[in-house]
Amino acid sequence: MLTVDKTRPVGPAGRISRVETLTLGTAWRDFSYVRVHTDAGLTGVGEITHPYRARETCQLAEAMAGRHLIGADPFDVEEIWLRMYQGDFLRGGDVGGIVVSGVDQALYDLMGKALGVPAYRLTGGACRDRVRVYANGWYTGDREPAAFAERARATVAKGYTALKFDPFGAGLGELSRAELRRSIDIVAAVRAAVGPEIELYVEGHARFAMHTAARLVRELEPFDLGWFEEPLPWTHIERYAELRARATMPISGGEHFHNRYEYARLFATDAVDIIQPDLSMAGGFTEVRKLAAIADQHAMVVAPHNSNSPLCTTASVHAVLGMPNFKILETFDGLLEDYVFDAVRGALPVVDGHIDLPTAPGLGIELVDEVFAEHPPSHGFWNMFAEGWEKRDRR
């Protein structure tokens, strides 16, 4: 099972013949992709973006091609997933998890194209007519209550009915009294600016000590949050349930985990109310469907993390359409330059805070090489625990 069997009858997509990677530079981060070709003339694409390790994910994807992909039938998704994970001795971690995820997306793209149907038809069909999304990245700029409020109003004016933001600056472990008040004042200003009908989600970026997180759930209670995301480091996963018992708002998390094995302790400890797997980190379509099913067993809902490009946004729409316990999808698409959408031609647009049902075969996206050539990667870095990180100035 852990080797490519070229004697097995092949499906309508043919066999994988070539794998390549591309990286696009933007002001915020570099976006990386894998493109998988078959001998039937089909091409499938997936996202392998890592915020800081573009070279590593691309190198691993190209290396895995020779070990596990060339000659394989794209329809054998479960076997290919296992071959990459087990055969490459992946034991968790972001680079390997991202590569497996992106390749899996490309396989579903290939299958959809071979059959002439959108990818979501292969992952449970549709439970809904459109997908609700929330905006992130909208608060880039000065960390002041009035500035946050102004940008929140502008984002809601675009049709979004839900916003997520991190008001905590460079806080790590604890917050000084002044920084605590400033953070809470920012949340209060945003709530006052958008009114009671807009859902607000507050991001903790997995960085507070237990006593600080417990103080924050009390301070944030008046603002009727849709969730408080990852208030504690995952090194202290056993304390999440204790924090949930103190909180009046839902607790969410899970973007840091890359497959069901890493998620096992989260489920075993009932750490969160809402899981947030990322389609480009948590194993692609093949694995995220399983995570959603396990979450349903635990009375949890799914709100996928998606801090990547419009390709991952589009692929995530396909993934969640057939997910009964789906809640809402993240998007940073409003933060990006226009040329990003030229580079990933066919990405689904956000209209009035929603994305409509896809109609094109596969994912419906083609990568445009000329745009990639015009915008090479910068391999920059911004430190989320440095003062002023929310301005997203890369170095």
Side-chain angles (χ1 to χ4, degrees):
M1 181 186 289
L2 293 183
T3 59
V4 177
D5 183 356
K6 296 184 180 181
T7 66
R8 185 184 298 167
V10 69
R15 296 188 185 278
I16 295 172
S17 58
R18 184 162 62 96
V19 175
E20 58 184 329
T21 61
L22 302 89
T23 300
L24 180 74
T26 79
W28 177 38
R29 63 172 46 170
D30 297 332
F31 294 127
S32 298
Y33 307 93
V34 61
R35 187 157 58 188
V36 179
H37 302 266
T38 74
D39 57 13
L42 296 176
T43 301
V45 296
E47 181 146 352
I48 54 171
T49 293
H50 189 295
Y52 316 125
R53 302 185 184 111
R55 294 186 184 92
E56 290 86 340
T57 56
C58 289
Q59 289 169 352
L60 182 59
E62 292 166 6
M64 274 194 174
R67 293 195 284 267
H68 309 298
L69 300 176
I70 301 301
D73 183 339
F75 277 80
D76 294 333
V77 288
E78 288 284 353
E79 185 180 19
I80 292 171
W81 200 101
L82 179 63
R83 193 155 57 231
M84 288 189 292
Y85 180 80
Q86 193 71 35
D88 233 60
F89 282 89
L90 296 181
R91 292 296 179 265
D94 50 2
V95 175
I98 287 170
V99 171
V100 171
S101 301
V103 169
D104 191 80
Q105 292 173 29
L107 300 181
Y108 279 85
D109 190 20
L110 284 166
M111 290 191 292
K113 289 174 178 174
L115 297 174
V117 299
Y120 78 86
R121 292 293 185 192
L122 308 174
T123 61
C127 296
R128 50 193 55 85
D129 296 328
R130 59 180 185 165
V131 171
R132 184 173 173 234
V133 301
Y134 68 87
N136 201 343
W138 55 269
Y139 57 95
T140 298
D142 292 333
R143 186 170 161 255
E144 297 294 339
F148 268 69
E150 179 181 355
R151 291 191 290 270
R153 279 191 292 266
T155 305
V156 170
K158 297 176 182 178
Y160 289 97
T161 59
L163 312 176
K164 187 169 81 179
F165 59 108
D166 182 333
F168 302 114
L172 178 62
E174 297 182 307
L175 291 171
S176 69
R177 296 181 68 84
E179 283 301 304
L180 175 65
R181 289 270 48 90
R182 186 183 191 189
S183 300
I184 299 303
D185 287 347
I186 287 172
V187 179
V190 172
R191 172 53 79 198
V194 302
E197 300 305 316
I198 301 298
E199 281 199 72
L200 296 182
Y201 312 129
V202 168
E203 167 74 81
H205 279 125
R207 68 186 193 262
F208 293 118
M210 178 64 186
H211 66 277
T212 302
R215 172 75 181 272
L216 288 171
V217 298
R218 294 196 305 272
E219 296 281 355
L220 292 169
E221 183 175 349
F223 307 114
D224 190 23
L225 300 182
W227 70 62
F228 187 11
E229 182 169 332
E230 299 201 325
L232 297 169
W234 288 106
T235 46
H236 307 306
I237 190 171
E238 69 283 347
R239 304 212 71 180
Y240 263 79
E242 180 184 346
L243 187 67
R244 279 184 64 212
R246 300 185 184 201
T248 57
M249 75 286 290
I251 301 296
S252 68
E255 69 183 73
H256 293 90
F257 303 140
H258 303 93
N259 51 59
R260 79 202 90 142
Y261 311 113
E262 292 186 30
Y263 258 94
R265 285 183 64 209
L266 180 148
F267 289 126
T269 58
D270 287 322
V272 298
D273 303 284
I274 303 163
I275 69 164
Q276 297 175 292
D278 189 311
L279 195 72
S280 289
M281 291 192 284
F285 290 98
T286 297
E287 193 74 350
V288 168
R289 287 188 71 196
K290 297 171 184 175
L291 292 172
I294 300 170
D296 190 45
Q297 287 183 312
H298 289 262
M300 299 172 182
V301 297
V302 185
H305 176 264
N306 170 38
S307 63
N308 294 329
S309 82
L311 192 155
C312 189
T313 301
T314 295
S316 297
V317 168
H318 285 271
V320 303
L321 278 169
M323 197 177 288
N325 56 334
F326 165 72
K327 178 177 175 62
I328 194 170
L329 173 65
E330 181 173 26
T331 175
F332 279 76
D333 291 8
L335 176 70
L336 306 176
E337 299 93 334
D338 290 343
Y339 70 78
V340 177
F341 297 88
D342 297 331
V344 290
R345 183 183 296 159
L348 298 170
V350 178
V351 179
D352 291 331
H354 293 80
I355 298 177
D356 289 335
L357 208 65
T359 57
L363 298 180
I365 289 179
E366 299 296 333
L367 303 180
V368 182
D369 293 54
E370 294 79 6
V371 182
F372 282 80
E374 293 169 0
H375 301 279
S378 66
H379 302 291
F381 173 75
W382 51 273
N383 183 353
M384 288 190 60
F385 301 105
E387 196 70 35
W389 72 262
E390 63 278 356
K391 296 181 180 179
R392 293 181 170 84
D393 294 330
R394 302 210 311 159
R395 294 172 175 83

